[in-house]
Amino acid sequence: MTLTATAPTRPARTAKPQRRRGVLSYWRFYLALSPFYLLFVVFGLYPVASTILLAFQKWDGLGPRKMVGLQNFGFLIQDSTFWLSLWNTVVLFVMSTAPTLVIAMTLAVMLHSAVRFKGIYRIAYFIPNITSLVAAAIFFAAVFSTNFGLINAGLRSLGLPTEDWLRQPWGIKIAISTMIVWQWAGYNTIIYLAGLQAIPTEQYEAAKVDGAGPFRTFFSITLPQLRPVVLFTVIMSTIGGLQTFTEPQVMVGNNGGTGQSGMTVVMYFYNQAFFNNDYGYAGAIALSIFMLVLLFTAINWKLLGGRGRQ
Amino acid sequence: MELSRRTLIAGGFAAMLGGTVVGCSSSMDAGTTKKNATGNIALWCWPGGLGKSVLDDTIAHFPDQHIKYSEVGGDFKQKLLTTFNGGTSIPDITGVKGEDIASMLPQANRFVDLKTIGADSILGDYLDWKVKQATTLDGKVLGIPIDIGPTALFYREDVFTAGGLPGDPAKVAEQLKTWDDFLAAGVELKKSNPKAFIVADAADLYGTIVNQGTARYIDKDNKFIGDQDHIRKAWDTAVKAITLKVDGKTLGGSPDWNAGLDNGTVPTVTGAAWVALDIKAACKTSVGKWRVAPTPSGPANFGGSFLTITKSAADPAAAFEVIKYMLSADNEAKAFADAQIFPATPAAYDKPQLKAADPFFGGQVPIEVFGPAAKNIPIAYEAPLDSAVATPFTDELKLVQAGKKSSDAAWSSAVQKAKQIGKRQGVQ
């Protein structure tokens, strides 16, 4: 409404030379954008800055803060639990992201070809993503439980030996990554599907004329055309995957279960801050997660983005 | 029209900006203790922390104090800390959970020392060891106990008798005096019933045994003592359960545990009085088949919380009157009837609410086991860092349980990790 009302005055203004308008003359636009930035400053930037500062302090959550320099990082380097949690995080990330993206791509290609009830499939695949994480984790813990779990019941009916899934270091990782795959495959499917629909059909027709089979078409047309979309999903999965928290916390408890093999860096950070009241140390761990995400994103960018932008 | 709409939007942003600035400034005077307005008492507790009828009755009993009760869900301690740091809207009276009280003791200056407002007259009514948990090393008392969690051995009478063990609580108490007796009974039970593991989870058993002791991981001089005999003994008993193969490896509260309670594969639970609620919730077919006996090797405590008065309280004396009333022996007995909140006042154990026979336990009167247990709980100093230092022990024990590590290797790695956590926080 405002737009249509101001429209008549527009031509007169834009006709004037560009330099007459300083940054300030855009104030309306900045004003319109400001809600995001104001909220971001309060709820995003301030906590981030405060966490960075906290990493160099000792604070129990209530008393005075004390500057301790690099002491927290000194402890961090020697802390075997921290390195273990870092290892767990990376392993869980690989174990969950790779299958998620492969499954998502497969589903997307299948959905893209003529299928009936496309809408229903799309909804069905997307629903896990909007399911409550805690509810899903409780469900998965039940599925993987030793005596009465669905997985072990299946193994038993096939005459295979059962496994104490949530009591074995690798079992814990498998259970957690299975849940992440279940939750995120559908989300990525929808993104890939959108990407697929943007590929011009002429390219496929040309490929058909040249006699390319379905696999050749997929690897020579679909995948290269989807490169930016794949990059996006990989980066989003990296950012999400390296911050895994709820799944292991609900499934195997705050300490990450047997051998702490479900202990992720974010969980370790949470334990240090909110159970051990060691907020400074937690701040140092949080910074390390930040660096890790940055590092992985840069690697992904180089690997996947590089050739696409030439 | 257009102009006024813009002014309106701009005005809205200005108001929001103003609000943000105010929000920031109020959080900046953290640390000061602003007094609340007089004439009102703000009371904080978590869901189910106080009995409903007791609460309603207390509010009605002090009409002039205008008690405003807030039920704070989620991470209670974190919300309390955040409010303390914020410096405004701090409650006059707040609950503090048993597991959090140790970490609150160093923050004694945030709370009113109840001894300065006449707590001495009532402290004798509460169990001594429980009051000690809320007492600082220099003698300040920060909280009055709401409840406690004395342990007992819950067991399946039918599974025990079928396995050649005594079924009667008095006889069970006689035969299962120590953990060694208990494990021996487990071996006996497994002979006739290979699916019944007398220990639900060896890692849980370890925690119980540590709680039965008079010393924990860190002593009063802030020295690490987790590598000493009292901890090693608890460790060895738990390992013994694993090597004797009487450990069910069933995590408490897991789906397997819940199902196992009802079908007899988890025939015993060593737990606090409130665990009875979990057992009752899980059991449909085994109602009336459960019994309660004293914990082998003596009672321990799990949980149990406090009411404290903050430095922000407008009128600490009035707040103390409220606490005094609310946590009297009569009212603690009522709270037990309300929601199984186990009284911290021995006088309450003779009230009719606690003397009731429980059909779930085959008509047994549970207080006959829990009452003596509550009075005999050992006093151990719990350092603020205690639970953090305890973690590696349980974690490493789980590796022994999973067959991934030998007991000795796991022990030395637990001690080393615990020392490192302690060192970070200045423990010697």
Side-chain angles (χ1 to χ4, degrees):
Chain A
M1 271 233 256
T2 319
L3 258 178
T4 50
T6 52
T9 62
R10 270 290 146 93
R13 275 202 212 162
T14 39
K16 281 173 186 168
Q18 196 71 27
R19 60 189 142 80
R20 229 188 71 77
R21 320 162 123 210
V23 174
L24 278 179
S25 66
Y26 290 108
W27 68 274
R28 285 183 205 84
F29 308 104
Y30 287 114
L31 189 64
L33 289 171
S34 63
F36 169 76
Y37 286 105
L38 288 178
L39 292 174
F40 174 73
V41 165
V42 176
F43 296 106
L45 198 62
Y46 172 72
V48 168
S50 155
T51 306
I52 293 174
L53 184 65
L54 203 52
F56 300 95
Q57 292 177 326
K58 192 170 164 61
W59 188 42
D60 62 6
L62 266 183
R65 298 177 175 205
K66 208 174 79 193
M67 283 305 283
V68 291
L70 289 170
Q71 200 195 64
N72 286 328
F73 294 96
F75 283 125
L76 204 59
I77 288 169
Q78 295 169 31
D79 186 347
S80 59
T81 314
F82 168 71
W83 291 109
L84 176 70
S85 69
L86 208 61
W87 165 249
N88 288 339
T89 306
V90 173
V91 171
L92 274 176
F93 160 68
V94 173
M95 278 175 72
S96 56
T97 304
T100 302
L101 297 185
V102 171
I103 291 171
M105 183 63 85
T106 317
L107 287 175
V109 170
M110 282 159 73
L111 277 183
H112 186 53
S113 52
V115 180
R116 284 215 275 172
F117 314 120
K118 215 179 249 182
I120 292 173
Y121 278 114
R122 264 187 257 184
I123 294 170
Y125 284 125
F126 197 73
I127 277 178
N129 196 252
I130 52 166
T131 307
S132 153
L133 260 182
V134 174
I138 291 172
F139 170 73
F140 270 80
V143 166
F144 279 96
S145 70
T146 309
N147 294 327
F148 304 98
L150 202 61
I151 304 269
N152 274 352
L155 287 175
R156 226 172 280 136
S157 69
L158 292 172
L160 295 166
T162 60
E163 187 67 62
D164 272 358
W165 294 101
L166 296 173
R167 289 246 146 198
Q168 294 293 338
W170 279 102
I172 289 172
K173 287 208 174 74
I174 290 170
I176 294 168
S177 42
T178 307
M179 176 175 162
I180 299 174
V181 171
W182 174 79
Q183 186 136 41
W184 288 97
Y187 169 85
N188 289 301
T189 304
I190 300 297
I191 292 177
Y192 287 151
L193 193 57
L196 286 172
Q197 282 163 353
I199 301 175
T201 44
E202 291 86 354
Q203 299 193 5
Y204 287 109
E205 281 158 12
K208 218 175 228 168
V209 171
D210 288 345
F215 283 96
R216 182 69 202 264
T217 314
F218 176 77
F219 285 104
S220 298
I221 296 177
T222 311
L223 214 48
Q225 286 288 330
L226 278 182
R227 187 185 290 277
V229 182
V230 173
L231 177 67
F232 171 78
T233 56
V234 169
I235 289 178
M236 292 315 278
S237 306
T238 309
I239 296 171
L242 294 178
Q243 298 184 50
T244 305
F245 172 75
T246 313
E247 297 90 344
Q249 206 229 8
V250 176
M251 280 163 98
V252 289
N254 276 317
N255 288 316
T258 309
Q260 294 187 300
S261 60
M263 170 81 87
T264 62
V265 189
V266 178
M267 243 166 105
Y268 192 51
F269 148 77
Y270 177 82
N271 286 353
Q272 292 304 332
F274 302 115
F275 286 110
N276 297 352
N277 302 308
D278 200 347
Y279 291 81
Y281 195 53
I285 299 170
L287 260 190
S288 77
I289 302 169
F290 176 64
M291 302 309 287
L292 188 73
V293 172
L294 220 55
L295 177 77
F296 269 73
T297 309
I299 293 174
N300 287 332
W301 193 271
K302 272 263 168 284
L303 281 181
L304 287 159
R307 274 193 294 158
R309 282 186 302 146
Q310 57 183 257
Chain B
M1 236 334 235
E2 192 191 307
L3 195 73
S4 75
R5 194 186 287 138
R6 276 189 192 166
T7 338
L8 196 74
I9 293 169
F13 285 135
M16 204 169 78
L17 195 67
T20 318
V21 170
V22 170
C24 284
S25 68
S26 72
S27 72
M28 270 164 196
D29 47 45
T32 58
T33 42
K34 229 182 302 169
K35 291 278 183 194
N36 292 346
T38 46
N40 290 301
I41 288 182
L43 165 64
W44 276 25
C45 208
W46 47 91
L50 300 161
K52 181 152 187 348
S53 72
V54 176
L55 193 62
D56 293 343
D57 176 42
T58 308
I59 293 171
H61 192 261
F62 293 96
D64 300 338
Q65 305 295 351
H66 306 289
I67 300 170
K68 195 177 162 288
Y69 172 66
S70 304
E71 194 171 274
V72 180
D75 190 342
F76 187 85
K77 185 190 83 172
Q78 197 50 43
K79 288 179 181 171
L80 185 62
L81 288 187
T82 307
T83 311
F84 271 140
N85 283 325
T88 51
S89 309
I90 298 172
D92 298 85
I93 304 175
T94 179
V96 172
K97 291 187 181 179
E99 63 263 35
D100 299 329
I101 191 78
S103 68
M104 288 292 185
L105 294 184
Q107 309 300 338
N109 61 343
R110 299 268 181 175
F111 299 95
V112 174
D113 175 9
L114 300 180
K115 281 196 160 183
T116 62
I117 50 173
D120 278 320
S121 63
I122 60 160
L123 285 181
D125 299 344
Y126 299 88
L127 289 159
D128 187 40
W129 61 266
K130 189 66 186 172
V131 175
K132 280 225 163 76
Q133 282 187 340
T135 309
T136 61
L137 285 176
D138 55 0
K140 293 191 186 101
V141 175
L142 304 190
I144 301 293
I146 300 174
D147 64 333
I148 57 169
T151 61
L153 176 69
F154 299 93
Y155 67 95
R156 282 280 292 271
E157 189 251 2
D158 56 331
V159 177
F160 267 36
T161 44
L165 298 175
D168 180 56
K171 290 207 178 94
V172 168
E174 205 174 294
Q175 190 178 332
L176 308 184
K177 273 209 172 66
T178 66
W179 289 116
D180 283 335
D181 300 336
F182 181 72
L183 297 181
V187 175
E188 186 70 28
L189 183 65
K190 232 187 121 189
K191 268 185 210 155
S192 58
N193 186 353
K195 280 191 171 170
F197 295 91
I198 202 159
V199 177
D201 183 356
D204 267 1
L205 176 64
Y206 167 77
T208 306
I209 303 174
V210 172
N211 274 7
Q212 285 174 321
T214 51
R216 301 182 66 87
Y217 299 91
I218 298 166
D219 72 5
K220 284 181 183 170
D221 301 324
N222 212 20
K223 277 212 173 67
F224 178 72
I225 51 169
D227 51 354
Q228 294 179 6
D229 276 353
H230 61 285
I231 299 292
R232 180 72 203 217
K233 244 178 79 189
W235 174 279
D236 286 341
T237 309
V239 171
K240 192 174 166 191
I242 299 167
T243 46
L244 288 175
K245 294 191 167 46
V246 293
D247 171 24
K249 302 178 188 174
T250 311
L251 190 67
S254 68
D256 275 352
W257 186 78
N258 275 309
L261 292 175
D262 211 15
N263 62 25
T265 53
V266 180
T268 77
V269 176
T270 309
W274 46 262
V275 173
L277 286 179
D278 296 336
I279 300 177
K280 285 175 183 175
C283 292
K284 286 176 191 72
T285 60
S286 56
V287 175
K289 292 173 181 165
W290 285 86
R291 295 290 182 276
V292 190
T295 319
S297 298
N301 179 67
F302 276 95
S305 45
F306 300 89
L307 280 184
T308 63
I309 300 176
T310 66
K311 276 275 166 68
S312 301
D315 186 351
F320 184 65
E321 287 305 314
V322 172
I323 292 185
K324 207 163 128 181
Y325 179 79
M326 191 180 243
L327 302 181
S328 68
D330 280 330
N331 276 331
E332 290 214 342
K334 259 204 252 171
F336 179 78
D338 276 356
Q340 292 274 320
I341 300 167
F342 198 91
T345 46
Y349 304 159
D350 297 326
K351 310 278 178 199
Q353 290 97 328
L354 282 96
K355 283 276 178 195
D358 193 334
F360 184 85
F361 296 112
Q364 201 187 345
V365 183
I367 192 67
E368 286 170 5
V369 175
F370 288 114
K375 291 172 194 166
N376 291 321
I377 283 167
I379 302 168
Y381 168 69
E382 193 177 335
L385 204 61
D386 196 85
S387 60
V389 167
T391 310
F393 288 89
T394 326
D395 290 337
E396 290 291 329
L397 198 56
K398 282 186 184 154
L399 282 175
V400 180
Q401 215 178 5
K404 299 283 171 197
K405 255 188 187 178
S406 75
S407 164
D408 283 339
W411 169 261
S412 55
S413 126
V415 168
Q416 185 237 326
K417 276 189 197 165
K419 274 184 178 164
Q420 216 224 337
I421 293 172
K423 202 173 86 189
R424 204 162 68 225
Q425 299 272 34
V427 174
Q428 268 110 49

